[in-house]
Amino acid sequence: MWTRKHLLGLEDLTAEEITAILDQAAVFKSESLSGDSKLDLLAGTVVANLFFEPSTRTRTSFSLAAKRLSADTIDFTAASSSLSKGETFIDTALNLQAMGASLVVVRHKTPGAPHLLARRVDAGVLNAGDGTHEHPTQALLDIFTIREKRGTLEGLTVTLVGDILHSRVARSNIWGLKKLGARVVVCGPSTLIPPRIEELGVEVSHRLDDVIAEADCVNLLRIQFERQRGAFFPSIREYTQFFGMNAERLRNAKPDVMILAPGPINRGVELTPEVADGPHSVILEQVTNGLAIRMACLFLLQQRQEAGDPQ
Amino acid sequence: MTVTLLRDGRLIDPSTGRDEQGDLLLRDGVIAADDHDGAEADRIVDAAGMIVSPGLIETQATLREPAWEDEDTIAAGTMAALAGGVTSLVCLPQDQPVVDNRAAVEFIRRQAERAGNCHVFVVGAVTKNRSGQELAEIGQLVDGGVVALSDGKRPVANAEIMRRALEYTRMFHRRIFSHAQEPDLVADGVMHEGLYSTLLGLKGMPAAAEEIMVARDVALAEMTGGSVHLMAISTSASVDLVRQAKKRGVDVTASVTPQHLVLTDAELQTFDANCKVDPPLRSREHVEALVAGLCDGTIEVICSDHCPVPAELKDRELDLAPFGIVGLETLLPLCVRALIDSERMDWPGLLGLLSTGPARILGLQKGTLQEGAAADVILIDPAAKWTIDSKTMRAGCTNSPFIGWQVRGRVESVFVDGELRFQAEASS
């Protein structure tokens, strides 16, 4: 049973809460596959999408998820906003709340920004990615995609490859996967593995070739060129040589290995086109599932809003 | 002038090791000899149950005046100091305008006199415009009354400039206050680099950034014979470096803040910008090392590192919020919690770190209850329990992570040059 007012990250969630979201998403997905693509569950609800950082996939996915549930949406991006006039992002959110928004989806470059917002607004806050901290809906859709194929996460080895340091997707995935019983390996250049990450219950590797064979799922994180201030590796060529997923590496993997990527992918960097478009890739299914996950999150939080404020 | 008798208090004078029950007479702005009979007093203060201590000396506070009077003023800041038992306050050069000339120094001193609260001593910039490129007119600044030289929270990154500064200040018998931090390693950082920065995805400030500069400053002080004070060190290896340097006879001193003793980097999990301080809150093992350094005399000063920031600037995304918290009014009770409640130190030890130690590193004839010394004296109720409340704070800003904390130890009366300048409201 879902009782939370906000969805800020997977760190705080229990396995039961994560499963509740996944189950709800499965219902939405099957309804839409059976042709029931528009539901009226959120009719009359106003969802504000506040994107203070560029995003295509997540923003469109949230926006479409809200529309599929018949909610009204306000899309708000940094470029068009009054932030350029000096308004703080909290004031921006308060203004949208005053226009009736009961759910606020927020993407921000600063870790903790959605948490700050959650303390100040009455609306339910959904974290759509806060800096390098968490990106809960992305991890939920990754986990949903794996569960859909394999039935369970229990006992699976999921390997997260690449820029762990700057990855909110990695952090949310680690929390979610561990809670559901998966074994998690993080693999990347030593400059892009943050200190003491082992204490989150993961194993660390710096050689993809060493860990590829035991992986049931490989999640190829994007190299975040925009967050890299310094020199974390010498060249893309060298990165690709050690951490890029290509057909040769895939031959050493399990025959049913799943290849995931949160996108947007850098073709030829994290993975070659033949892997991205090959039979092991579930990258586009992830996008489809993302819609169901975001519908589920919006729906559960709006139910909580309507139930009032007991907690 | 009023003659005041403080009757039957616990007299603690860390400068002499005195700790006994007795009376103290304040006459003509100074502490009178012990052989007075008290009859001449025209004010008698019952100090039973109280500690009578030299006034506290704050070695690093930021006052927002001049230029930022809309945020905080020298009058409000020094009033906050009195409420915290601070009778002498040393202010660091801030961003703008930079105190790198004599006029700026004298303006601050004049404003402090007008306010008439506690003594204010000024630290002048060590380089022009705090640019780290060329020395400020240090001789002029000394003539204007500066007690030390520092670029405040901006480290002197260039080792050659730091070397010349240490050599040059030696002839004026002034110490350089150094914010030991290697700038490139902490760029864009908001918190200690460790488990919690990994967990929260926040840019870390590694302990090594501080330790590199502590080692550099120690080496330069050793080479030049200059005097350096390391402001608010925060890591275990920094304490070790200072400990070893002192054994070799290097003129290096160091301070810590109470926030680095009672909080850890785990606090950042709240994303509260009032936990964003520079140097950052560290992990538990560093905190332990700091306490050990205080107990064995390696660190001889505790300072609040008072830094007012208006609410609208703190109530923002963590990377946009400025560093710093106000600390003058919470200095003493936080030290009590960190050191006395934990039974790591006794009252004379603590008060030495807050008065005699600062006086010594600054070369001030203060921090003592000896006959003839300025009558900067405070009364402390060591048992009083109270709640830190933003509504009763005197500082112009209330950016503190300690609002709502239940604490012990309260400053009851503050005398500056023998005059009663602050009296706590009766306890509820």
Side-chain angles (χ1 to χ4, degrees):
Chain A
M1 178 61 193
W2 185 263
T3 57
R4 286 176 190 269
K5 185 171 178 184
H6 311 290
L7 176 64
L8 300 176
L10 296 193
E11 181 182 357
D12 303 328
L13 299 194
T14 62
E16 291 70 33
E17 287 172 315
I18 292 171
T19 304
I21 299 172
L22 299 178
D23 291 347
Q24 183 62 52
V27 171
F28 284 141
K29 185 174 180 184
S30 71
E31 281 177 2
S32 80
L33 285 179
S34 65
D36 227 355
S37 71
K38 185 108 175 174
L39 306 167
D40 61 2
L41 293 167
L42 260 59
T45 297
V46 179
V47 177
N49 289 309
L50 269 65
F51 281 70
F52 298 106
E53 193 184 55
S55 161
T56 307
R57 193 173 334 261
T58 307
R59 184 166 52 81
T60 7
S61 181
F62 263 113
S63 187
L64 186 56
K67 290 186 172 84
R68 283 282 178 87
L69 294 167
S70 305
D72 297 317
T73 59
I74 314 172
D75 282 345
F76 194 89
T77 56
S80 67
S81 77
S82 44
L83 288 178
S84 49
K85 298 175 191 164
E87 186 175 64
T88 69
F89 93 107
I90 293 171
D91 283 328
T92 302
L94 288 172
N95 275 281
L96 295 177
Q97 178 173 282
M99 293 178 201
S102 60
L103 296 176
V104 176
V105 177
V106 62
R107 155 76 59 97
H108 199 289
K109 71 176 174 51
T110 307
H115 305 67
L116 189 60
L117 206 55
R119 282 202 290 268
R120 298 290 298 274
V121 301
D122 299 322
V125 176
L126 279 91
N127 182 359
D130 60 329
T132 52
H133 179 221
E134 283 228 41
H135 191 353
T137 56
Q138 177 68 45
L140 287 166
L141 74 88
D142 292 344
I143 291 167
F144 181 92
T145 306
I146 298 170
R147 191 182 79 157
E148 194 176 45
K149 297 266 184 215
R150 297 295 165 85
T152 178
L153 273 295
E154 198 76 48
L156 294 183
T157 294
V158 180
T159 305
L160 308 172
V161 180
D163 182 353
I164 310 296
L165 177 66
H166 298 104
S167 178
R168 53 189 171 214
V169 177
R171 285 170 178 79
S172 290
N173 257 286
I174 290 169
W175 294 120
L177 291 166
K178 293 297 295 179
K179 284 173 204 279
L180 296 188
R183 169 180 175 240
V184 180
V185 178
V186 296
C187 178
S190 40
T191 45
L192 291 175
I193 303 282
R196 300 175 66 174
I197 186 101
E198 304 84 355
E199 291 173 47
L200 274 58
V202 304
E203 294 159 50
V204 176
S205 164
H206 302 302
R207 281 185 71 88
L208 184 51
D209 290 329
D210 289 351
V211 294
I212 185 76
E214 60 200 41
D216 294 294
C217 309
V218 180
N219 198 338
L220 300 162
L221 304 175
R222 193 169 64 87
I223 291 298
Q224 310 235 355
F225 292 107
E226 72 278 17
R227 287 189 213 282
Q228 293 195 3
R229 199 177 50 81
F232 288 91
F233 52 85
S235 67
I236 289 175
R237 181 169 68 177
E238 188 158 311
Y239 178 84
T240 310
Q241 184 189 338
F242 290 101
F243 300 101
M245 182 58 82
N246 52 35
E248 192 189 334
R249 285 210 164 94
L250 208 50
R251 276 195 288 278
N252 297 320
K254 290 184 178 177
D256 60 348
V257 68
M258 288 172 68
I259 303 293
L260 300 94
I265 57 174
N266 300 313
R267 283 178 183 261
V269 182
E270 299 98 26
L271 72 176
T272 58
E274 58 182 324
V275 175
D277 305 328
H280 296 279
S281 167
V282 293
I283 295 172
L284 292 175
E285 283 171 69
Q286 286 175 268
V287 178
T288 307
N289 293 337
L291 192 61
I293 284 289
R294 289 175 181 121
M295 287 171 74
C297 293
L298 289 168
F299 173 66
L300 291 172
L301 288 193
Q302 181 58 25
Q303 277 198 319
R304 169 65 179 73
Q305 281 285 317
E306 284 162 14
D309 220 343
Q311 101 185 356
Chain B
M1 198 172 214
T2 314
V3 178
T4 304
L5 180 70
L6 307 177
R7 192 152 70 192
D8 195 26
R10 178 182 171 189
L11 305 180
I12 295 180
D13 183 357
S15 73
T16 58
R18 181 181 187 188
D19 180 6
E20 62 187 1
Q21 208 64 24
D23 301 344
L24 194 73
L25 191 74
L26 315 181
R27 183 205 295 134
D28 299 332
V30 297
I31 293 167
D34 267 343
D35 57 3
H36 62 80
D37 66 1
E40 59 183 300
D42 39 27
R43 172 169 53 204
I44 295 174
V45 177
D46 178 13
M50 304 274 183
I51 289 170
V52 179
S53 162
L56 311 187
I57 301 174
E58 167 60 54
T59 57
Q60 60 181 85
T62 303
L63 299 172
R64 298 301 279 154
E65 189 178 345
W68 306 90
E69 289 88 347
D70 54 331
E71 297 180 359
D72 204 357
T73 60
I74 289 174
T78 51
M79 192 60 224
L82 288 179
V86 171
T87 53
S88 293
L89 174 152
V90 173
C91 67
L92 293 180
Q94 57 178 2
D95 309 341
Q96 278 296 333
V98 176
V99 182
D100 62 356
N101 59 82
R102 183 171 175 165
V105 177
E106 299 207 354
F107 173 78
I108 294 171
R109 297 179 63 194
R110 187 75 191 93
Q111 284 295 81
E113 278 168 29
R114 285 195 179 103
N117 293 320
C118 68
H119 299 291
V120 171
F121 297 94
V122 180
V123 175
V126 65
T127 68
K128 281 183 188 139
N129 202 31
R130 298 202 317 160
S131 63
Q133 301 298 317
E134 51 183 322
L135 295 182
E137 290 174 313
I138 290 169
Q140 297 280 322
L141 291 168
V142 170
D143 278 350
V146 302
V147 292
L149 284 308
S150 175
D151 281 353
K153 291 284 184 178
R154 189 181 297 165
V156 178
N158 184 320
E160 165 70 8
I161 298 288
M162 188 64 169
R163 174 214 171 138
R164 298 303 172 202
L166 281 162
E167 285 173 343
Y168 193 72
T169 49
R170 208 177 50 187
M171 72 179 174
F172 297 107
H173 307 289
R174 293 292 188 279
R175 210 171 266 283
I176 292 185
F177 279 29
S178 169
H179 179 51
Q181 216 164 54
E182 207 291 313
D184 288 331
L185 276 175
V186 299
D188 303 330
V190 297
M191 69 175 293
H192 173 61
E193 180 171 315
L195 173 63
Y196 289 100
S197 66
T198 288
L199 212 129
L200 301 171
L202 289 167
K203 179 82 169 63
M205 304 164 79
E210 176 176 312
E211 292 148 6
I212 287 166
M213 286 302 241
V214 168
R216 183 202 75 170
D217 287 348
V218 163
L220 291 175
E222 190 161 20
M223 177 180 83
T224 59
S227 307
V228 68
H229 172 66
L230 301 164
M231 296 191 287
I233 59 171
S234 63
T235 84
S236 169
S238 294
V239 177
D240 268 338
L241 286 162
V242 174
R243 187 179 285 127
Q244 298 310 320
K246 285 190 160 187
K247 280 185 191 154
R248 297 197 303 276
V250 183
D251 189 1
V252 54
T253 60
S255 61
V256 295
T257 79
Q259 49 270 30
H260 290 93
L261 302 177
V262 299
L263 299 177
T264 67
D265 59 341
E267 298 293 329
L268 270 299
Q269 288 178 101
T270 60
F271 294 104
D272 180 356
N274 284 327
C275 295
K276 183 181 172 185
V277 292
D278 182 20
L281 301 174
R282 303 286 185 186
S283 52
R284 179 63 56 199
E285 61 272 23
H286 293 295
V287 174
E288 285 303 315
L290 295 178
V291 173
L294 287 166
C295 292
D296 72 7
T298 300
I299 303 165
E300 52 221 281
V301 171
I302 299 179
C303 61
S304 78
D305 197 14
H306 179 79
C307 181
V309 178
E312 67 272 19
L313 293 184
K314 271 293 193 186
D315 192 15
R316 301 180 72 179
E317 300 91 315
L318 259 185
D319 52 354
L320 297 178
F323 288 99
I325 60 174
V326 290
L328 289 165
E329 292 168 80
T330 53
L331 175 61
L332 183 70
L334 293 177
C335 289
V336 170
R337 175 186 286 232
L339 298 170
I340 294 186
D341 289 348
S342 65
E343 298 183 346
R344 298 298 296 268
M345 200 171 268
D346 57 14
W347 274 98
L350 171 59
L351 293 171
L353 291 163
L354 292 167
S355 61
T356 311
R360 189 170 55 240
I361 70 154
L362 292 160
L364 299 177
Q365 302 302 310
K366 291 183 176 296
T368 176
L369 296 182
Q370 282 184 276
E371 178 192 347
D376 295 349
V377 177
I378 60 174
L379 264 56
I380 299 165
D381 181 346
K385 292 199 167 85
W386 57 289
T387 303
I388 297 171
D389 182 354
S390 61
K391 288 196 270 308
T392 57
M393 281 187 164
R394 276 87 176 171
C397 302
T398 56
N399 50 303
S400 166
F402 302 112
I403 305 296
W405 278 38
Q406 305 276 331
V407 291
R408 185 171 78 89
R410 196 166 92 135
V411 175
E412 296 294 332
S413 309
V414 177
F415 296 88
V416 177
D417 290 331
E419 278 182 51
L420 181 65
R421 292 273 174 85
F422 174 80
Q423 178 68 57
E425 287 164 33
S427 303
S428 51

